[in-house]
Amino acid sequence: MPKERTLAMIKPDAVRRQLIGAIIQQIESAGFTIRAMKMVWLRPQEAQTFYSVHRNKPFFDSLIQYITSGPVVALVLERENAITELRNLMGATNPAEAQPGTIRHQYGLSIEQNAIHGSDSPENAQREIAFFFGEREIYTYEQP
Ligand code: IDP
Ligand code: MG
């Protein structure tokens, strides 16, 4: 199967609790190759663009407040079936409903402060990767 790319974002609640390393360790152990990575403190307007699909949801203003409350770590991840596999590794949106062993079950605090984002479709993966990264920032080195 051809490799696929997805966008992961370690959210401010997890960055603040010094969980970047633990979460990246789980991602790499699950067979994802990191093709790009950066820490970014999003401005409100940028966050509104990133989450524009949710602009009519009742939780939108709170989501923008939260996601701009500190830096996030954005990653371009690659593996077979990357979008679905990352969503499986993340677990359900609500950590209380996430399966044991998933990132959100282990590290999520609430349905909002749930430690990690992952793209939900090929279209959104492409849009979200381009939101954070230029072509020159994504490295397609071969594995040794
Ligand atoms: P997802 O991150 O699992 O794809 P979405 O429904 O796309 O979940 O929601 C995007 C983000 O908005 C969630 O990860 C979470 O941070 C926040 N969120 C979703 N639903 C709620 C809610 O009911 N209350 C507060 N925040 C929410
Ligand atoms: Mg989503």
Side-chain angles (χ1 to χ4, degrees), residues 117-135:
H117 167 89
S119 307
D120 65 1
S121 67
E123 298 71 34
N124 282 332
Q126 198 176 24
R127 182 180 70 81
E128 292 172 2
I129 288 169
F131 174 88
F132 279 106
F133 299 98
E135 280 299 324

Side-chain angles (χ1 to χ4, degrees), residues 21-115:
I23 291 173
I24 289 177
Q25 178 137 48
Q26 276 191 247
I27 289 170
E28 288 195 310
S29 295
F32 292 90
T33 299
I34 298 171
R35 292 297 188 192
M37 178 163 76
K38 66 168 70 156
M39 184 180 269
V40 186
W41 194 325
L42 294 171
R43 294 175 174 85
Q45 216 165 17
E46 294 170 324
Q48 287 168 13
T49 300
F50 183 82
Y51 277 125
S52 57
V53 293
H54 295 305
R55 64 184 171 278
N56 294 322
K57 303 270 173 65
F59 58 81
F60 184 69
D61 289 349
S62 177
L63 175 59
I64 299 306
Q65 279 278 339
Y66 154 59
I67 213 69
T68 60
S69 68
V72 301
V73 175
L75 305 105
V76 176
L77 303 177
E78 187 175 277
R79 60 158 286 170
E80 289 168 11
N81 211 12
I83 294 166
T84 300
E85 292 296 337
L86 179 63
R87 299 284 305 192
N88 290 343
L89 182 64
M90 286 162 45
T93 305
N94 186 349
E97 293 167 8
Q99 293 297 311
T102 61
I103 291 170
R104 284 168 164 173
H105 181 264
Q106 291 173 84
Y107 302 124
L109 297 174
S110 68
I111 191 166
E112 179 175 77
Q113 300 194 27
N114 56 9

